[in-house]
Amino acid sequence: MTRFVLDDFLPYQLAVLAERTSREFSALYRERFGISIPEWRVVAHLSQAGTVSVREIHARVAMDKSKVSRAAARLEAAGYITKTVDPRDRRLVALSLTEKGRAMMEEIAPLAEAFQAEFLARLGARAEDFREALAVLLEPQGKDEAPEEEGIQGEAGARARAR
Amino acid sequence: MTRFVLDDFLPYQLAVLAERTSREFSALYRERFGISIPEWRVVAHLSQAGTVSVREIHARVAMDKSKVSRAAARLEAAGYITKTVDPRDRRLVALSLTEKGRAMMEEIAPLAEAFQAEFLARLGARAEDFREALAVLLEPQGKDEAPEEEGIQGEAGARARAR
DNA sequence: GTGACTTCATTGCACACGCAATGAAGGTGC
DNA sequence: GCACCTTCATTGCGTGTGCAATGAAGTCAC
């Protein structure tokens, strides 16, 4: 008789906390710039990565390709980024921030820092440990064998299947 | 020059972790019973709360009223819950688990426990602190004054507004 | 009882999402 | 070059979602 208590269930707690936090933070930039959460993620990633493809973002930012694609389309329409075809590989679309996009990011970044600081302040001394735990949990948890140290290049291995 | 790094940004980390965790866990019951995450939440809450209204769940489980309503409709169609009009207050809809619903919950609960245990195992000694931190962060963060110690009964206080 | 207001649950609507399919482009073996 | 496979980005489609509007039911003052 397990008397299950939803409020103490971790996936539930995480979902609630994450949604609340994201929503609260997104209100800050949504008002000012009218961008959505996926759009924010794309911009934020671009600001640190320079010029990258949709594929790159999809892989690094845990968003479906279509989500990235649509976010990029909206951002381009709003003038925050440019989309150009990569001349080396014409399948790739090179995304990069416009001046307007950089200006926006320049304005949001401090808000983000402040938001996070305030968030962590609620934890007091526990903050450090919490961040550490989060980092552990975010490690790509494997069904693949041991992580094999460093030497893997970007693309994962198990590609050989065919028929 | 703030060199913002998305991967180290807390709202982002939480969102990624929460989504991954929920998705992973939901796969367990989705396959077996074909219910979605909102439906799972409703069932889980009913299993601990007995018979309750849509409103109650909406308030306690951080889901939009319409989401609860639709989840309930699907659950009823699938035979996991019943919806009846509360005779005391005919606006209220009383939700409660059917035998089939209870059986399902009886089967999922151990899976949930196991899932959570495995999840926490990854944190090792940090697990305890992590849960504590989570609890702190989940406290209804107030614009309302101080939380006022214990003595509040179930329903929150700030009801007296009117005009 | 009537009127004004509030509280519930549901539903309409516009929109975002996930997933699979599409089509363009690149790579490879011969 | 040609056939075949893979990799990208986009798009079509069915579905879920949030928000506002609706309508039923309750409450209160008078």
Side-chain angles (χ1 to χ4, degrees), chain A residues 118-127 130-131, chain B residues 132-134 136-137:
Chain A
E118 193 179 341
F119 184 96
L120 286 173
R122 301 180 59 202
L123 288 176
R126 279 180 280 256
F130 181 71
R131 300 222 65 182
Chain B
E132 231 180 81
L134 220 46
V136 170
L137 293 171

Side-chain angles (χ1 to χ4, degrees), chain A residues 27-161:
Chain A
L28 296 183
Y29 53 73
R30 163 163 254 155
E31 286 180 22
R32 249 176 263 254
F33 301 102
I35 63 172
S36 69
I37 293 178
E39 283 151 43
W40 148 254
R41 285 198 193 174
V42 169
V43 170
H45 185 64
L46 285 181
S47 86
Q48 78 181 91
T51 298
V52 285
S53 67
V54 169
R55 144 107 184 127
E56 176 83 16
I57 296 188
H58 155 63
R60 298 270 301 112
V61 174
M63 278 170 60
D64 190 80
K65 275 193 302 181
S66 63
K67 213 169 166 179
V68 176
S69 181
R70 292 190 246 247
R74 286 189 292 257
L75 286 170
E76 186 189 32
Y80 293 122
I81 69 170
T82 59
K83 287 168 57 180
T84 59
V85 176
D86 185 329
R88 298 165 187 282
D89 182 342
R90 311 198 40 246
R91 292 169 306 179
L92 299 180
V93 173
L95 305 179
S96 57
L97 290 179
T98 60
E99 201 45 61
K100 185 179 174 189
R102 256 188 301 278
M104 172 170 69
M105 194 56 203
E106 215 63 42
E107 200 171 330
I108 296 180
L111 295 180
E113 301 286 352
F115 184 87
Q116 174 164 293
E118 193 179 341
F119 184 96
L120 286 173
R122 301 180 59 202
L123 288 176
R126 279 180 280 256
E128 205 57 44
D129 294 334
F130 181 71
R131 300 222 65 182
E132 233 180 80
L134 219 47
V136 170
L137 293 171
L138 282 167
E139 281 166 7
Q141 63 184 331
K143 49 172 185 188
D144 296 324
E145 292 293 312
E148 280 290 348
E149 277 303 313
E150 202 73 355
I152 322 169
Q153 73 263 63
E155 294 289 297
R159 183 68 30 94
R161 187 163 340 140

